[in-house]
Amino acid sequence: MDESTVSVEPSWFRPDVLAGRVALVTGGGTGIGKEISRVLGAHGAAVVLASRKQEVLEAAVAELAEEGLDVSFGVCDVRDADAVRSVVDGAVSERGALDIVVNNAAGNFPAPMSAISPNGFKAVVDIDLLGTYNVSRAAFDASLREHGGSIVNISAPFEQRGVVYQAHVAAAKSGVDSLTRSCAVEWGPYGIRVNAVAPGSMLGTEGLKRFSEAVPGGAPVRPTNPLGRHGHGSDIAYLTLFLCSPLARFVSGQVIAVDGAGSADMLRLQAGPI
Ligand code: NAP
């Protein structure tokens, strides 16, 4: 288990809080997505991991199955609406329904705006934003509209602030935040809750590693948030679990930052307790 997947043990949730539920987690084979899959699975959900690389998915499914979880996978590129539909339809016919969707798949290559090509910009928007639309629509059509459920979009806390090397990601994730609210409003009458979780910098993830490498000098990115640490995948996974659980039955249309108050801190002047 790498640093991104440090779990909170024991869980303070009932282990059967998601019993009988079926979840689809895009990008569920790596990093934060794998920890979300682990935590949803450990609380009773059957989890389908979906992304492009079959070998990565197979390894993640083997690891999670070894822990006793009910997991399977489907291969698709979230930019390809037909491929997404085929994975979603397959999950529904295999598992009987789909109750939970976690749109976690994302593209990221840190770069200054002046060095991002039109294709690079488009790729990130297509994976993060169009992908979230494709997966949410397919799940709505195939199952959620029949019985309701919960969608959690994994975003980033970039909507209100500028962030260097992340212009494409910030634009895409701001779109995801907006889509979260629109879907929550339109699909609320179907009993579907839609929320977003916006992680700050997450320890041990590919995203943070690439960001550290991109910063001039290649220095590790230090946590600048008031809590003074990077997050763990489990910090994201447990909020996702809460949002998918009946405890959050009146929570919808929200974008919740999990970033140690980083996005609340305008000036970042404070070095310690005052
Ligand atoms: P990661 O390990 O790089 O995972 C990205 C996942 O997305 C991979 O499993 C990848 O699988 C999948 N993916 C990428 N392109 C895809 C495509 N076209 N179709 C289907 N799947 C695709 O990322 P992470 O760092 O754990 O981040 C997870 C989420 O948290 C992302 O939404 C990210 O934006 C967000 N986030 C992360 C941080 C951080 O510090 N790491 C901070 C803020 C927000 P395949 O390669 O198999 O397709």
Side-chain angles (χ1 to χ4, degrees):
M1 199 180 288
D2 62 38
E3 301 174 289
S4 68
T5 60
V6 178
S7 287
V8 178
E9 295 294 353
S11 168
W12 290 321
F13 287 83
R14 282 175 55 145
D16 62 348
V17 68
L18 296 184
R21 303 276 184 235
V22 181
L24 177 79
V25 181
T26 67
T30 64
I32 295 168
K34 186 161 75 176
E35 187 61 6
I36 292 171
S37 301
R38 170 178 283 117
V39 167
L40 298 186
H43 291 81
V47 187
V48 182
L49 286 53
S51 73
R52 295 164 302 175
K53 297 184 188 124
Q54 181 159 343
E55 65 284 5
V56 172
L57 292 166
E58 279 172 351
V61 162
E63 179 184 328
L64 298 176
E66 183 76 16
E67 296 169 20
L69 309 184
D70 181 4
V71 282
S72 56
F73 70 86
V75 177
C76 66
D77 186 322
V78 293
R79 292 171 287 189
D80 179 343
D82 291 338
V84 165
R85 241 167 231 285
S86 136
V87 165
V88 166
D89 292 349
V92 171
S93 71
E94 227 172 82
R95 302 286 190 163
L98 193 54
D99 308 284
I100 293 166
V101 173
V102 181
N103 285 301
N104 164 83
N108 193 359
F109 58 95
M113 181 72 177
S114 56
I116 301 173
S117 69
N119 273 347
F121 195 96
K122 183 174 183 305
V124 169
V125 172
D126 282 357
I127 298 169
D128 294 21
L129 181 54
L130 181 64
T132 296
Y133 160 80
N134 283 339
V135 175
S136 303
R137 257 308 297 279
F140 176 80
D141 292 350
S143 195
L144 291 178
R145 69 180 302 160
E146 297 289 324
H147 49 72
S150 176
I151 298 176
V152 178
N153 299 324
I154 307 302
S155 183
F158 296 162
E159 204 177 4
Q160 304 295 334
R161 308 172 67 109
V163 190
V164 292
Y165 300 114
Q166 296 286 277
H168 45 353
V169 174
K173 296 296 196 183
S174 297
V176 168
D177 294 351
S178 176
L179 191 62
T180 299
R181 290 184 283 267
S182 298
C183 286
V185 169
E186 287 202 12
W187 293 350
Y190 294 89
I192 301 169
R193 295 181 299 101
V194 188
N195 292 288
V197 176
S201 56
M202 292 288 131
L203 198 64
T205 59
E206 190 57 32
L208 187 62
K209 183 169 153 273
R210 286 189 200 169
F211 199 77
S212 295
E213 287 163 1
V215 172
V221 175
R222 303 216 173 283
T224 54
N225 64 69
L227 289 186
R229 70 165 175 88
H230 293 304
H232 296 293
S234 57
D235 295 321
I236 306 308
Y238 278 97
L239 178 57
T240 303
L241 171 64
F242 168 74
L243 289 171
C244 295
S245 79
L247 295 167
R249 64 190 180 179
F250 204 45
V251 182
S252 193
Q254 302 306 306
V255 179
I256 304 172
V258 180
D259 66 350
S263 55
D265 186 356
M266 182 68 193
L267 292 178
R268 302 193 180 197
L269 292 176
Q270 191 181 339
I274 49 177

